[in-house]
Amino acid sequence: MTTETRDIVIVGGGTAGCFAAATAAQNGLDVTLLERKSEDEGGHIACGDAIKGKSTFPDVIDRDYLREESFTNENIQRAMFMNPDGENYDIPFESGSGAVVDRKRYGEVLLEEADRVGAEIEYDTVVKDVVQNGRVTGVEAVRRGDPVQYDADVVIDAAGALSLLQDKVDFDGTTYDTNVNYQQFCSAYREVIEVPEPVEYDDAIVFKPTDELGYLWYFPRTGTEINAGLGFQMNKPSMELVSVLKDDLEERPEFEGAEVKDKLGAALPTRRPYDSAVAPGFMSVGDAAGHVNPTTGGGIPGAAKAGHWAAEVATEAISDGTLGESALWEYNHRVQTDFGKKFAAMDLYNIFGGAHDVDELTEVVTALPGEMIIDLMGKKGSVSLSLPEKVKAAVVTALETRGHWSTLREAYQVNRLAAELKKIYDDYPTTPDQFESWKTSRDDIMDRVYDVTGAEPKY
Ligand SMILES: Cc1cc2nc3c(=O)[nH]c(=O)nc-3n(C[C@H](O)[C@H](O)[C@H](O)COP(=O)(O)OP(=O)(O)OC[C@H]3O[C@@H](n4cnc5c(N)ncnc54)[C@H](O)[C@@H]3O)c2cc1C
């Protein structure tokens, strides 16, 4: 077997891996990114293609080039929730518009950019195992049919949801989060379809609830090219994704005469970020570390940031010549005190939702005035309620939600626990020494969430 040596080896050429590779290369490190797909297929990844805006991306690639090449619809102004039992709701975006991208081109540009700034990219290279000796020191792969070993100071695992590497590393005696199982993931499927006439909602990302606490989406890449997909949580009975999507598309007049251009499915995490995503010589980023909003499935911004931060911290550790958990810990701290706390808080709503019937949740939502829902979701509505309107809304709500008061009370309690949880994540320890006591405080809140909702413990 050939053996090659690098400063950093990154496994996986998605968003997280490309940002990690570009950052490491910009920092002057010798870095190779290993991607199992061919160069032609690189960047072809199952996704809803919706992104919050280019500002979320770290400045290590040419972000204008990325935007020009792949942001096909930059005019997303609102999220529209289709309510099967009543009024639809619009949640306007507060800060600037979002975008829907051509995901294949987006992925290709990230790989191109990582290469341009100095990372080596090896396509057709499937990582099969890790090399370890008290710490991870490299990986074993098959590169275009031939076995190859890469030795490295740090291995960054950017291999996506349910990453194979995590089955191979011996995490005994490390802080790395091994409390992970498939039930904390969602199975999702999407099609890209071309319709003859532009849809009316080309300025919106559209969501619609489905059974099993999933949702269907229509995200317009352009007025006539729509990314349509759906998913279900794997702690619920499985759903026939392809046929449920087909039935829905057939029912909707705007999809008459539609042509399917691409189909793809994948798993994605719908859990809190890993408590610790580092072990000696090893770091996980993006989907491989649960860096996805567990209620919306949005994972691109988290993957980009995590990849960037991991490579920054690894650069420092390599230059100091210390590759243990303490040297890599700063990466955990950055994730958990930034988007990590938000995703951990969103996970509580996911747990709450999972303990209720979708029909019941839809009835509650239908009974609440639209402005109140927007308020509950923490966004400003397009019209603010005057005092008489507020009184009227309160009376209507009280009458219409009769029978659901305990659910509303639970939602209110979960909301308060989510705020408490965020504070705990603000205090995420700066060194591994305090990690166990931090987890105890966090788990106390989780116990209260399970008490309030009656949900089965998720972790
Ligand atoms: C159907 C669906 C819809 C989604 N919609 C959205 C959305 O609208 N907006 C949003 O922000 N997020 C969305 N997400 C989530 C988002 O796609 C992910 O969070 C994001 O792509 C994570 O990036 P990543 O780099 O961590 O992993 P990935 O993009 O999964 O990349 C992992 C890479 O690793 C490679 N790889 C895996 N194993 C190996 C191996 N052994 N050897 C070599 N290479 C390997 C894979 O080929 C792949 O290229 C969606 C996900 C799904 C499944």
Side-chain angles (χ1 to χ4, degrees), residues 102-340:
D102 174 338
R103 183 63 183 74
K104 172 82 161 62
R105 187 66 197 126
Y106 159 92
E108 286 168 355
V109 171
L110 288 189
L111 288 158
E112 252 178 57
E113 281 293 292
D115 175 68
R116 182 183 65 79
V117 301
E120 178 188 39
I121 308 210
E122 290 285 9
Y123 294 98
D124 301 297
T125 305
V126 186
V127 172
K128 303 271 195 187
D129 208 345
V130 295
V131 186
Q132 54 197 329
N133 174 17
R135 80 171 171 88
V136 174
T137 58
V139 294
E140 285 178 7
V142 175
R143 189 177 63 196
R144 289 178 283 281
D146 295 325
V148 55
Q149 177 170 323
Y150 284 91
D151 289 341
D153 287 337
V154 174
V155 170
I156 296 187
D157 165 22
L162 300 165
S163 159
L164 165 119
L165 276 74
Q166 293 166 28
D167 294 338
K168 305 291 180 183
V169 178
D170 177 3
F171 290 118
D172 267 4
T174 76
T175 56
Y176 193 94
D177 194 341
T178 52
N179 187 5
V180 179
N181 76 63
Y182 77 95
Q183 294 199 320
Q184 302 154 354
F185 289 73
C186 163
S187 178
Y189 169 76
R190 69 97 176 100
E191 294 181 355
V192 176
I193 51 182
E194 183 88 48
V195 290
E197 297 295 329
V199 294
E200 278 173 10
Y201 43 80
D202 64 351
D203 63 338
I205 50 174
V206 180
F207 301 87
K208 185 174 160 186
T210 61
D211 293 341
E212 312 312 352
L213 199 67
Y215 63 79
L216 244 144
W217 70 79
Y218 316 119
F219 295 168
R221 283 178 166 191
T222 66
T224 54
E225 188 174 283
I226 318 296
N227 179 317
L230 77 173
F232 69 91
Q233 302 225 148
M234 290 201 240
N235 63 346
K236 301 279 179 182
S238 66
M239 210 163 118
E240 297 286 336
L241 295 176
V242 178
S243 61
V244 174
L245 181 64
K246 185 166 174 272
D247 291 349
D248 189 80
L249 295 178
E250 278 172 5
E251 267 177 25
R252 302 189 58 85
E254 73 267 32
F255 296 121
E256 206 181 316
E259 190 193 329
V260 178
K261 295 176 71 185
D262 192 44
K263 302 174 175 190
L264 220 49
L268 79 157
T270 40
R271 50 157 293 144
R272 66 189 178 206
Y274 286 19
D275 288 346
S276 164
V278 305
F282 187 77
M283 309 169 94
S284 295
V285 292
D287 278 14
H291 294 159
V292 177
N293 181 325
T295 53
T296 64
I300 287 176
K305 283 185 191 172
H308 175 59
W309 292 336
E312 282 199 327
V313 171
T315 305
E316 208 163 306
I318 291 169
S319 89
D320 292 348
T322 49
L323 305 167
E325 277 186 315
S326 301
L328 304 178
W329 192 262
E330 170 61 17
Y331 161 66
N332 279 339
H333 186 262
R334 279 171 103 164
V335 168
Q336 302 290 21
T337 55
D338 191 88
F339 65 81

Side-chain angles (χ1 to χ4, degrees), residues 47-51 57 66-67 70-73 99-107 220-221 225 227 300:
C47 190
D49 306 342
I51 297 187
F57 291 116
L66 178 69
R67 210 189 88 225
S70 65
F71 283 44
T72 46
N73 183 352
V100 181
V101 301
D102 174 338
R103 183 63 183 74
K104 172 82 161 62
R105 187 66 197 126
Y106 159 92
R221 283 178 166 191
E225 188 174 283
N227 179 317
I300 287 176

